[in-house]
Amino acid sequence: MTYACMLLQEEKAIERGILPLLQRATLVQTFGQRNHVCLKEGSITIPPYAPPQKMQTHLIPDKTPRSIFVYFRGLFYDVGNDPEGGYYARGARAAVWENFKDNPLFDISTEHPTTYYEDMQRAVFCLCPLGWAPWSPRLVEAVIFGCIPVIIADDIVLPFADAIPWEEIGVFVDEKDVPNLDTILTSIPPEVILRKQRLLANPSMKQAMLFPQPAQPGDAFHQVLNGLARKLPHDKSVYLKPGERVLNWTAGPVGDLKPW
């Protein structure tokens, strides 16, 4: 498992491309970006680490009403690295602030309160816009806390896309459509919202995004093993049978196990 490009040397890495030593390797990388020289086809995209124990301590009762329609905490501008604006998040975060800072449906701010995790559990939608990279840990946090992720990153590659039905649990908004975000979200039928929330409530969905210690069946570590196993020559007879939950890793891959 390795990174094809290190962030601090990304410009040099882009000029160079993936090292010849790694070009035949299977790269395991946190999230990804389509058509990026540092993410080769066939790479395994994984979620960033989110501390399971810490998140567990912030859980609130399941029946707590989701009284916040749209929630976001984070930067809208990066004055230090982008003083003139326009480059950071390709302007998407700035567009969120300029269009919705006074909208009562949007609870957005640069402040990061101590109730951040609890607030996500009280929200219907959690904005997950790109920053300098297409992804951030808040996408994992949104899934764990049952907040429908609103993914604003045109070229993002999501983790375990063959196992997690991102289109069914999230909402994808093109960066150019951010000014219409309120119309897009308020036009989603209640039954669609409820279906997404039911899927997010499934423990298997949350488990697939976490790296607990020790590892547990169905967690992100096992998803990585599934991805690696699917790259090996195998016979379909080694697939998990309906109702089976244990796989002999020496025999072959999971195939198409989707417990949710």
Side-chain angles (χ1 to χ4, degrees):
M1 297 184 185
T2 185
Y3 292 100
C5 298
M6 298 300 291
L7 182 60
L8 297 178
Q9 300 176 345
E10 186 174 19
E11 290 186 3
K12 291 183 179 179
I14 289 174
E15 292 178 8
R16 178 201 65 207
I18 298 176
L19 287 170
L21 179 66
L22 301 177
Q23 286 177 2
R24 296 185 61 191
T26 295
L27 304 177
V28 179
Q29 299 174 296
T30 0
F31 284 37
Q33 184 173 353
R34 285 196 301 270
N35 303 317
H36 195 289
V37 68
C38 298
L39 183 70
K40 62 191 285 286
E41 185 177 353
S43 298
I44 295 177
T45 306
I46 65 174
Y49 178 77
Q53 293 81 5
K54 179 181 177 181
M55 302 177 88
Q56 183 74 26
T57 62
H58 287 270
L59 290 176
I60 62 177
D62 292 339
K63 301 297 184 182
T64 303
R66 291 191 177 267
S67 55
I68 302 170
F69 190 62
V70 180
Y71 187 75
F72 176 79
R73 291 294 184 272
L75 292 177
F76 297 98
Y77 304 91
D78 187 346
V79 178
N81 294 303
D82 182 24
E84 297 183 5
Y87 289 101
Y88 179 60
R90 296 197 283 254
R93 292 196 185 200
V96 169
W97 179 251
E98 294 300 330
N99 286 279
F100 305 112
K101 59 186 176 184
D102 298 320
N103 189 315
L105 294 177
F106 284 68
D107 187 345
I108 58 177
S109 171
T110 57
E111 297 178 0
H112 202 288
T114 56
T115 57
Y116 174 68
Y117 284 159
E118 289 82 358
D119 292 343
M120 292 186 86
Q121 295 169 78
R122 296 186 180 98
V124 177
F125 296 103
C126 288
L127 300 185
C128 302
L130 74 161
W132 286 115
W135 57 272
S136 76
R138 66 174 50 83
L139 183 51
V140 175
E141 296 163 348
V143 171
I144 299 304
F145 292 128
C147 186
I148 298 171
V150 180
I151 300 164
I152 307 171
D154 292 351
D155 49 5
I156 192 170
V157 177
L158 292 165
F160 312 139
D162 59 338
I164 298 178
W166 290 105
E167 294 286 346
E168 295 181 44
I169 66 173
V171 175
F172 290 80
V173 177
D174 291 344
E175 295 165 25
K176 65 178 176 58
D177 292 331
V178 167
N180 303 319
L181 199 51
D182 54 345
T183 302
I184 293 170
L185 297 180
T186 56
S187 66
I188 298 175
E191 60 270 21
V192 174
I193 292 176
L194 288 173
R195 170 171 166 72
K196 292 179 184 295
Q197 290 175 332
R198 282 195 297 267
L199 286 169
L200 285 167
N202 190 310
S204 298
M205 193 76 67
K206 305 175 190 298
Q207 186 79 339
M209 297 292 283
L210 294 174
F211 291 93
Q213 306 237 345
Q216 300 172 9
D219 66 7
F221 175 69
H222 282 76
Q223 297 297 335
V224 173
L225 294 182
N226 290 344
L228 292 171
R230 277 192 284 273
K231 295 179 177 296
L232 300 175
H234 58 82
D235 184 86
K236 289 188 177 182
S237 63
V238 303
Y239 284 17
L240 280 179
K241 307 299 185 297
E244 291 182 346
R245 304 291 297 178
V246 178
L247 178 71
N248 179 356
W249 293 106
T250 64
V254 167
D256 193 28
L257 174 64
K258 295 185 180 179
W260 40 80

